[in-house]
Amino acid sequence: QVQLVESGGGLGQPGGSLKLSCEASGFAFNIYHMKWYRQAPGKEREFVAAVSNVGGSANYADSVKGRFTISRDNAKKTVYLQMNSLKPEDTAEYYCNAVSAYDSVNYWGKGTLVTVSS
């Protein structure tokens, strides 16, 4: 059974930090690029960050570049999103997404809520 389970969300302070995790199971994690998306109330889902299947490259949305870092541990089948210098605009449901490096197969987690407020 394919699963992507996000964790680490919660309440963060502006300027503070949170670290999200996404643990995968039921598929060949090492051949999937991993991505984070987020969706705020009333807005469309937007891309946040991506890391290649072997961790050799990463991409970030301009809104988080320099503040967020995506990484992965293939032995643990887990992808992380380190979120620093948090802003209220980062408040959203954060979703983990797995995309095959070879075809169109992809999977989604159910999300974890991040709220940034003082």
Side-chain angles (χ1 to χ4, degrees), residues 18-20 36 48-51 58-60 64-72 79-84:
L18 287 172
K19 187 174 183 178
L20 307 183
W36 288 96
V48 176
V51 62
N59 294 303
Y60 300 91
V64 307
K65 195 170 298 181
R67 301 188 298 119
F68 291 8
T69 302
I70 188 170
S71 62
R72 66 190 294 160
V79 63
Y80 307 93
L81 186 68
Q82 178 66 51
M83 308 166 64
N84 297 328

Side-chain angles (χ1 to χ4, degrees), residues 2 10 16 26 92-93 106 110 114:
V2 171
E93 189 86 7
N106 71 98
K110 294 183 178 180
V114 171

Side-chain angles (χ1 to χ4, degrees), residues 18-112:
L18 287 172
K19 187 174 183 178
L20 307 183
S21 298
C22 173
E23 186 173 1
S25 60
F27 66 98
F29 183 79
N30 64 314
I31 65 169
Y32 280 70
H33 305 309
M34 299 300 299
K35 301 180 179 181
W36 288 96
Y37 286 78
R38 67 186 183 187
Q39 187 169 25
K43 299 179 66 178
E44 66 181 14
R45 188 170 298 187
E46 65 175 347
F47 169 79
V48 176
V51 62
S52 62
N53 60 329
V54 296
S57 64
N59 294 303
Y60 300 91
D62 288 343
S63 59
V64 307
K65 195 170 298 181
R67 301 188 298 119
F68 291 8
T69 302
I70 188 170
S71 62
R72 66 190 294 160
D73 185 335
N74 283 358
K76 296 181 178 179
K77 300 185 187 300
T78 302
V79 63
Y80 307 93
L81 186 68
Q82 178 66 51
M83 308 166 64
N84 297 328
S85 301
L86 287 167
K87 302 177 179 180
E89 306 93 273
D90 296 321
T91 297
E93 189 86 7
Y94 283 72
Y95 298 91
C96 179
N97 174 230
V99 181
S100 173
Y102 303 102
D103 55 34
S104 61
V105 173
N106 71 98
Y107 307 108
W108 289 89
K110 294 183 178 180
T112 185

